[in-house]
Amino acid sequence: MTKIGCDEGIIYEFNKVHEPIRTIPAGSTVTIQTYDCFQNQIQSADTEVTAIDWNKINPATGPFYVEGAMPGDVLKVKIERIDIGEQGVMVVGPDLGVMGHALSEMESKILPIRDGHVLFNDLQIPVNKMIGVIGVAPEGEGVNCGTPGAHGGNMDNKMVTEGATLYFPVFTEGALFALGDLHAAMGDGEVSVSGVEVAGEATVTLDVIKGVSLRHPMLENEDVFTQIVSAPTLDEAAKTAAVEMIERIAEKASMPVSEATMLMSAVGQSEICQIVDPLMTARFVVPKSVLNQLGITFFE
Ligand code: CA
Ligand code: ZN
């Protein structure tokens, strides 16, 4: 199994002009090591948060050139496994997250991770491992790794976890895939703007799908198919996610849009990924049991 260290190359923005650090044959499984979102600069309670280098934020390991991926294709990323370090860190401060107005100082907190739990003071929080930043090079200008978009990026979607499969639109030859910003736990919304930030490794299988067009990332797990959309407001993100899904289902199932809209209003869930990044991210979630009854799949 190929293992790639974060010392081999990191990016602070997804950009089609970047030189790939490796070429990956389609169908390969690779283990990608990642720094935490502060590039491991906060290791103890003694670290002055204001003194860290704030240019070194949200590094993603990569980018990877996936053989055969061409603009208009879909990059399929199966998340096989996530391994995390033994401690996480959270940060709050002025102008960060939903409580930024009420906080006057930057503060950090080290959270030990033991036996499947994050220790928050005396509290035990179940580990809920996920990948915050994951995506491909965008169509136009580069997008910094703190911002989500049609290319993925900082989606902070807690469904991006072991067993999930992501589908990204490919905008440039080789896709230029990268990932980082693992979280040991995070709730929908990521209200403080930091999950339990942690270094670790993600093992993913990368594949290329031809002949399906996609405007925004999708995610599949054992139970559901979801459409993920990032936009300037949560209203717009949630609405576009639902619209994209309804149109896809209407087309795939050869169903009138009116029918697909009623069906999705009955069984689809509009959910929040995060509400604190430069764009907001929402997902629209459809049970596979319904897609199975319709006899449709999206990527086969
Ligand atoms: Ca993040
Ligand atoms: Zn993070």
Side-chain angles (χ1 to χ4, degrees), residues 58 132-133 154 156 181 183 190:
N58 275 320
V133 172
N154 194 19
D156 285 321
D181 185 32
H183 297 162
E190 201 195 24

Side-chain angles (χ1 to χ4, degrees), residues 11 13-16 63-64 66 69 74-77 134-139 143 150-153 167-172 174-179 206 217:
I11 53 172
E13 65 168 18
F14 289 85
N15 193 321
K16 63 186 175 191
F64 299 95
V66 183
V74 168
L75 183 71
K76 177 183 181 184
V77 183
I134 184 166
V136 298
E139 187 167 21
V143 175
H151 69 294
Y167 300 90
F168 295 102
V170 175
F171 300 105
T172 195
L176 299 186
F177 173 78
L179 67 78
L206 300 169

Side-chain angles (χ1 to χ4, degrees), residues 19-286:
E19 279 297 315
I21 62 168
R22 292 259 191 135
T23 295
I24 308 287
S28 308
T29 302
V30 292
T31 297
I32 301 170
Q33 187 190 25
T34 69
Y35 294 110
D36 71 25
C37 75
F38 304 109
Q39 207 164 317
N40 300 4
Q41 293 182 90
I42 308 172
Q43 290 299 322
S44 80
D46 302 331
T47 307
E48 279 289 342
V49 186
T50 46
I52 70 170
D53 185 345
W54 286 89
N55 293 316
K56 294 181 174 169
I57 295 297
N58 275 320
T61 306
F64 299 95
Y65 183 105
V66 183
E67 279 179 357
M70 295 299 287
D73 294 342
V74 168
L75 183 71
K76 177 183 181 184
V77 183
K78 169 93 193 282
I79 301 166
E80 311 283 357
R81 194 181 155 103
I82 299 173
D83 293 289
I84 56 173
E86 291 181 342
Q87 69 175 26
V89 58
M90 299 192 86
V91 165
V92 291
D95 303 325
L96 295 177
V98 304
M99 293 305 288
H101 63 282
L103 301 168
S104 53
E105 306 260 334
M106 292 290 293
E107 276 180 51
S108 68
K109 186 181 206 51
I110 301 289
L111 302 98
I113 301 167
R114 302 270 184 279
D115 304 325
H117 286 84
V118 176
L119 307 184
F120 188 105
N121 303 333
D122 296 334
L123 308 176
Q124 298 210 5
I125 303 165
V127 161
N128 175 22
K129 293 179 282 189
M130 54 162 282
I131 302 173
V133 172
I134 184 166
V136 298
E139 187 167 21
E141 306 255 292
V143 175
N144 74 66
C145 290
T147 301
H151 69 294
N154 194 19
M155 298 183 290
D156 285 321
N157 178 350
K158 77 177 185 194
M159 291 181 81
V160 181
T161 188
E162 284 177 348
T165 300
L166 279 153
Y167 300 90
F168 295 102
V170 175
F171 300 105
T172 195
E173 199 185 317
L176 299 186
F177 173 78
L179 67 78
D181 185 32
L182 304 185
H183 297 162
M186 190 198 88
D188 287 337
E190 201 195 24
V191 293
S192 89
V193 90
S194 103
V196 179
E197 307 294 338
V198 68
E201 291 177 358
T203 300
V204 296
T205 302
L206 300 169
D207 235 321
V208 177
I209 298 173
K210 305 274 180 191
V212 183
S213 80
L214 202 55
R215 277 189 289 265
H216 298 269
M218 296 187 83
L219 179 148
E220 171 185 17
N221 65 23
E222 209 181 336
D223 303 317
V224 297
F225 237 106
T226 85
Q227 175 68 66
I228 306 164
V229 174
S230 300
T233 66
L234 195 55
D235 293 5
E236 193 182 335
K239 185 174 170 182
T240 305
V243 168
E244 291 275 326
M245 182 66 90
I246 290 166
E247 288 180 346
R248 196 166 291 271
I249 286 172
E251 191 199 324
K252 274 277 175 185
S254 303
M255 185 184 250
V257 168
S258 56
E259 287 267 321
T261 305
M262 285 190 267
L263 180 62
M264 287 303 104
S265 195
V267 302
Q269 312 290 327
S270 292
E271 297 180 355
I272 291 170
C273 299
Q274 58 76 27
I275 57 170
V276 289
D277 294 333
L279 297 179
M280 309 292 131
T281 307
R283 56 180 183 252
F284 190 75
V285 182
V286 179

